Amino acid sequence: MRDFLSSTLDHIRGRPKRALPTMYHYVGVLTDDLSELGVTVRRAGKHILKLSHGETGHTAFLVVRYTTDTDLTLLQEVAGRGHRIGYLIDDDMWAMVADTDLSEDYRNRVRHFLDTHVTRLMPLIGTVYAPSHQILARMSDKACVKLDPAHLSPVSDLDHFAKPDPVRIVFLGTSTHRSDFRGVLPGVRAALEADQALHLTTLLGKSGEALIPSGPQVRHIGDMFFPRFQTWLSRQRFHIGLAPYAPNPVNDGRSNLKFHQHAMVGAAGIYTRTAPFVEAVRHEATGLLVDHAPEAVQAAIASLAADRNRMRDLAKAQISRSRELGDHATLARLLCGTLGLLQE
């Protein structure tokens, strides 16, 4: 609740909100594996994590996505004491500033952060962590480490495919992906109209209602604060997961998180050919890669919905691939090793 109130106040004041999802998906999920390596994690600033190794005595700091003025003052102090500082950034903010599909208010906030805080932050940073080569290329003067999100402990059973329920489709993109969804909506709508056994759930809330009204086959859920969302997601089971993001600089600079989320809910994924999904998905083996076009998405939904065994096989393979790509022990060791925590 404290984090929620703090983030809400930041939003009202036009400051960057605490990047709770980023902290969770790249570090929080790894707590047990970090502990096995002898590393403890605690909050050192609003957007800063302090990682300490009990045996080597080494300490490093990880800046997560944003900073405040207070954060920057702290970072200057720890840099002066010789501690390593890493920066974890999971979106190409430079591309976001140029994307007119995003709201002007959001782009102005990002622009202000880049022009003020990032300019002051960069001289203090030794290593940059990002899930995208595109982001890392923007900061190639630093030591660059490609760090993907950790897997989200995907389901161990796929019993929902054996039940005679409607084929449940989910679009987990939030309002920043509204235009991506709108671009393929005619195909989604056509698939629903052609097969009354399909049911669509989105997280688009009121903006989703404006695109395709709720009804017997459609349900829109509004924004949820992150801890509530994680609880909700862990209890869901879907058959098909949609991530039809338009290939563009913003989406090419994102992570493969939706791949892990689809594995978490036991869904066979349908993806467009953006960089993170081209890297993660093996077409026809661990998901489907299709064009960002209504007819392509419609055909993919129809082909999967017609064959539950195929859906289940894809979902099962996607779960295995998710565990491989987001292996907790591997990622924890990569993070600690590149921060110098494991060196005697």
Side-chain angles (χ1 to χ4, degrees):
M1 178 58 71
R2 182 178 179 181
D3 281 336
F4 171 74
L5 294 175
S6 176
S7 291
T8 300
L9 181 61
D10 287 337
H11 184 76
I12 292 172
R13 292 181 173 177
R15 300 182 307 209
K17 295 189 292 183
R18 187 169 296 168
L20 299 177
T22 306
M23 287 185 180
Y24 177 79
H25 290 126
Y26 292 84
V27 183
V29 177
L30 304 178
T31 299
D32 290 343
D33 293 87
L34 292 170
S35 180
E36 288 187 9
L37 293 172
V39 174
T40 58
V41 182
R42 71 174 181 85
R43 189 79 60 80
K46 184 166 185 179
H47 306 282
I48 304 172
L49 298 176
K50 180 180 179 181
L51 290 82
S52 304
H53 195 287
E55 294 184 7
T56 67
H58 295 311
T59 295
F61 294 81
L62 186 66
V63 183
V64 183
R65 195 175 172 99
Y66 299 119
T67 57
T68 64
D69 289 334
T70 303
D71 287 339
L72 287 167
T73 298
L74 171 62
L75 291 169
Q76 289 171 340
E77 293 175 358
V78 300
R81 297 199 296 268
H83 292 299
R84 293 198 186 193
I85 300 174
Y87 180 39
L88 170 58
I89 176 172
D90 59 342
D91 275 319
D92 189 335
M93 296 186 187
W94 296 266
M96 286 179 163
V97 167
D99 187 351
T100 56
D101 281 335
L102 298 174
S103 73
E104 184 176 357
D105 175 67
Y106 182 80
R107 288 187 291 122
N108 285 339
R109 291 169 189 259
V110 174
R111 182 182 294 110
H112 175 75
F113 174 70
L114 292 177
D115 290 346
T116 57
H117 287 232
V118 170
T119 300
R120 296 166 58 192
L121 175 64
M122 283 301 101
L124 306 175
I125 297 302
T127 305
V128 175
Y129 299 87
S132 160
H133 292 295
Q134 177 176 301
I135 297 174
L136 295 174
R138 294 186 182 275
M139 291 175 276
S140 57
D141 58 323
K142 305 292 181 182
C144 292
V145 176
K146 187 174 186 297
L147 185 70
D148 290 313
H151 74 67
L152 298 170
S153 299
V155 297
S156 57
D157 70 78
L158 295 171
D159 293 345
H160 56 295
F161 286 99
K163 298 176 181 178
D165 298 334
V167 174
R168 302 184 65 214
I169 305 168
V170 68
F171 176 74
L172 292 172
T174 54
S175 56
T176 58
H177 291 292
R178 183 176 184 273
S179 64
D180 294 317
F181 184 73
R182 184 177 57 213
V184 300
L185 179 59
V188 176
R189 183 184 288 113
L192 293 174
E193 292 174 351
D195 188 347
Q196 299 299 305
L198 301 182
H199 184 277
L200 171 69
T201 299
T202 86
L203 300 184
L204 294 173
K206 292 181 179 179
S207 64
E209 292 284 356
L211 294 174
I212 178 170
S214 295
Q217 291 180 267
V218 179
R219 179 193 181 200
H220 299 292
I221 299 173
D223 287 341
M224 291 180 271
F225 188 56
F226 183 67
R228 182 185 172 197
F229 168 70
Q230 281 300 114
T231 300
W232 174 85
L233 191 65
S234 68
R235 296 172 178 169
Q236 304 305 305
R237 295 294 179 269
F238 291 96
H239 301 93
I240 297 174
L242 297 180
Y245 299 162
N248 59 43
V250 172
N251 288 333
D252 282 336
R254 296 190 188 273
S255 74
N256 61 12
L257 179 60
K258 288 296 176 285
F259 188 84
H260 292 309
Q261 289 179 335
H262 290 165
M264 185 181 185
V265 300
I270 297 174
Y271 306 91
T272 39
R273 294 182 177 89
T274 56
F277 298 140
V278 168
E279 291 180 9
V281 180
R282 295 166 179 163
H283 181 56
E284 295 281 4
T286 62
L288 300 183
L289 286 169
V290 303
D291 293 336
H292 185 259
E295 59 275 13
V297 172
Q298 177 186 358
I301 292 173
S303 67
L304 287 184
D307 189 341
R308 285 197 178 226
N309 288 332
R310 183 184 179 213
M311 275 193 293
R312 187 183 187 282
D313 289 345
L314 281 176
K316 183 178 180 180
Q318 177 156 329
I319 288 170
S320 296
R321 178 70 168 154
S322 172
R323 290 187 179 279
E324 173 193 346
L325 291 173
D327 181 71
H328 290 190
T330 300
L331 294 175
R333 183 165 289 278
L334 173 63
L335 180 61
C336 292
T338 51
L339 283 174
L341 294 171
L342 305 181
Q343 299 171 1
E344 296 294 341

